[in-house]
Amino acid sequence: MNIATISTTPFTDQKPGTSGLRKAVTVFQKPHYLENFVQSIFDSLEGSQGKTLVLGGDGRYYNRQAIQTILKMAAANGFGRILVGRGGIMSTPAASCVIRKYQAFGGIILSASHNPGGPEGDFGIKYNTSNGGPAPEKVTEAIYACSKEIEQYKILEAEDIDLDKLGEFKLGSMAVEVLDSVQPYTQLMESLFDFDRIQELLTSRQFRMCMDTMHAVTGPYAHSILEHRLGAPAGTVVNGTPLEDFGGGHPDPNLVYAHDLVDILFGEDAPAFGAASDGDGDRNMILGRHFFVTPSDSLAVLTANAHLVPGYSQGLAGVARSMPTSGAVDRVAAQAGIDCYETPTGWKFFGNLLDAGKATLCGEESFGTGSNHVREKDGLWAVLFWLNILAVRGESVEQIVRSHWQTYGRNFYSRHDYEEVDAQKAGELMERLRQMTPEMKGKQLGNYEVDYSDDFSYTDPVDGSVSNKQGIRIVFTDGSRIVFRLSGTGTKGATLRVYLESYEPDASKHDQDTQKALAPLIEIAEQVAQIKDSTGREQPTVIT
Ligand code: G16
């Protein structure tokens, strides 16, 4: 078999964002676009000759074609072995699990996560390092640097591999193993959670749950673990067959896009527990009967109840949350006497803390929760964690969250997204805010006094690397906050995210509607940032 060396010229837009390179499928279909980026990944790596690479994606449109291309490029670039998911499919947490289990050199994950799929949808690609986690900034910068100078890429001239057949194949001199990642992932879950107690819960007549996998990658994992292994009745998992276009839906587990689940959990005769996961299986949304658990509260509740779960009963080394995530978990950590780290948005920033044993649980407001069991956030893991807690405590989701608020106080929290707005105007809005921050201290805004305001900067406590410009914070003297950021995962225009948080210790006020409780802060955000003028929008596109 021949290795072809193909001449190419750089694309200028291959800078990875919050989580890899995400673009419209049509962009990835441009001649050489995918190949340039993959070769840039390979060129940026040192010592990969003869090593093992993990490869899989969320099964969205263009996944299969991309997998075949990457396999042939990996063979031409000297990898020794590739572990690829059956059908080219692996959830993001399962890919992380496989990288770690097989001590692979790294992995390539094909996903645009929660972005819609299909020929008109999005596609994405990211590189994970040998710890199983998303490449840190120094690696993504190196990949980007290579993409700006690339002149050629290498690809093996060979037939496609049959991705649907489990087993071992040869591609040139490289071995390709097609594996079913459901199995190692299930084993890992079994080592963390009390499957017997969860099984008791799921098979009892008093308890019903519904898991919406949104026609995305988690379907097979959820069917296998919840229904086959743990005995939940067939039909517990809905929208469980992965489809290339996610059934035309937007596979983002929030109150807007996971409407099938929301209708069930807020309808008559609702089950006790509901959960949804996203396109690549790393996000989760947790619902009780007629009750929504914010991702920030979910992280706090998991932290406070971790002692009930076998895999975490020895205690937590610490916890970490992204800066815009509410401070609910900080209060649990403070009471437990463990460290709580505040990182920029992006799971990659948790990697060093997990590797160094500084944090055990991590979470983000963007519906992501995870732990040191892998180096990605993990949707189904969060669902099992909740089920384990429910099985032990024998209370409802609502009771557990309300008693949590009674103990720690409630962090009212909401994120307002303005999607697909004019990128230049959004950039100008952020710049205006940036200029204002030095003069904000001491200012009276409505009933709030500004304690401090800055553009969040993070120094990694493990390797000392610094990440600047991670979001504008306006923090008030009572701890309430408004944060402004531009998303790093959108593919059209810009998405402005406004994060709002206010702390309420008084349990008699915990019943308020979130948007009402945050109304004064919403008004201040508009006053300070002139959002309506800048975005041309009267309302946010999505409120979570
Ligand atoms: C990715 C990152 C997360 C981040 C989220 C939203 O998640 O891994 O850490 O919170 O994007 O980022 P942004 O606010 O920049 O859009 P996923 O699930 O899309 O891979």
Side-chain angles (χ1 to χ4, degrees), residues 18-19 22 113-114 278 280 282-283 345-347 364-366 377 485-489 497 499:
T18 308
S19 184
R22 287 189 194 167
S113 185
H114 53 288
D278 71 333
D280 62 330
D282 56 2
R283 296 186 176 204
T345 294
W347 204 262
E364 294 189 284
E365 49 67 39
S366 54
K377 53 190 188 273
R485 260 188 83 244
L486 294 185
S487 158
T489 56
R497 303 206 195 284
Y499 310 83

Side-chain angles (χ1 to χ4, degrees), residues 89-315:
I89 292 183
M90 252 191 228
S91 76
T92 292
S96 185
C97 160
V98 172
I99 293 171
R100 293 169 68 77
K101 182 179 162 93
Y102 291 89
Q103 297 178 343
F105 186 81
I108 291 180
I109 302 178
L110 305 177
S111 170
S113 185
H114 53 288
N115 296 14
E120 307 300 323
D122 289 340
F123 192 74
I125 173 166
K126 68 171 182 168
Y127 181 70
N128 281 29
T129 50
S130 60
N131 70 348
E137 272 185 343
K138 62 175 188 299
V139 177
T140 55
E141 285 300 328
I143 296 170
Y144 179 45
C146 291
S147 81
K148 289 191 286 190
E149 289 176 358
I150 189 165
E151 290 178 350
Q152 57 186 43
Y153 62 84
K154 285 197 264 180
I155 187 159
L156 190 77
E157 290 173 337
E159 291 296 307
D160 284 357
I161 288 278
D162 183 353
L163 293 171
D164 297 311
K165 228 197 232 155
L166 293 177
E168 188 142 340
F169 307 88
K170 274 278 182 202
L171 199 52
S173 53
M174 184 181 80
V176 178
E177 185 179 341
V178 180
L179 56 82
D180 179 3
S181 61
V182 172
Q183 208 194 351
Y185 180 80
T186 305
Q187 273 169 3
L188 181 58
M189 293 302 111
E190 208 160 356
S191 73
L192 299 172
F193 300 111
D194 189 338
F195 269 31
D196 290 343
R197 285 195 90 156
I198 299 177
Q199 181 161 24
E200 241 174 73
L201 178 74
L202 291 180
T203 51
S204 81
R205 278 163 193 265
Q206 288 80 37
F207 187 87
R208 264 185 312 124
M209 73 164 281
C210 177
M211 166 107 201
D212 184 353
T213 56
M214 304 188 83
H215 287 303
V217 75
T218 307
Y221 300 85
H223 274 300
S224 168
I225 296 178
L226 296 174
E227 295 180 357
H228 305 154
R229 174 68 183 77
L230 292 168
T236 296
V237 178
V238 298
N239 300 326
T241 307
L243 299 173
E244 284 198 329
D245 66 348
F246 308 114
H250 193 144
D252 197 356
N254 61 39
L255 293 172
V256 176
Y257 296 124
H259 38 77
D260 286 356
L261 180 78
V262 172
D263 288 350
I264 295 170
L265 266 290
F266 284 85
E268 270 178 41
D269 192 28
F273 180 66
S277 53
D278 71 333
D280 62 330
D282 56 2
R283 296 186 176 204
N284 74 90
M285 175 170 71
I286 301 294
L287 301 176
R289 184 177 290 131
H290 299 182
F291 193 82
F292 167 61
V293 185
T294 70
S296 298
D297 276 348
S298 180
L299 173 64
V301 169
L302 299 192
T303 303
N305 290 278
H307 59 283
L308 304 176
V309 175
Y312 305 93
S313 58
Q314 305 303 311

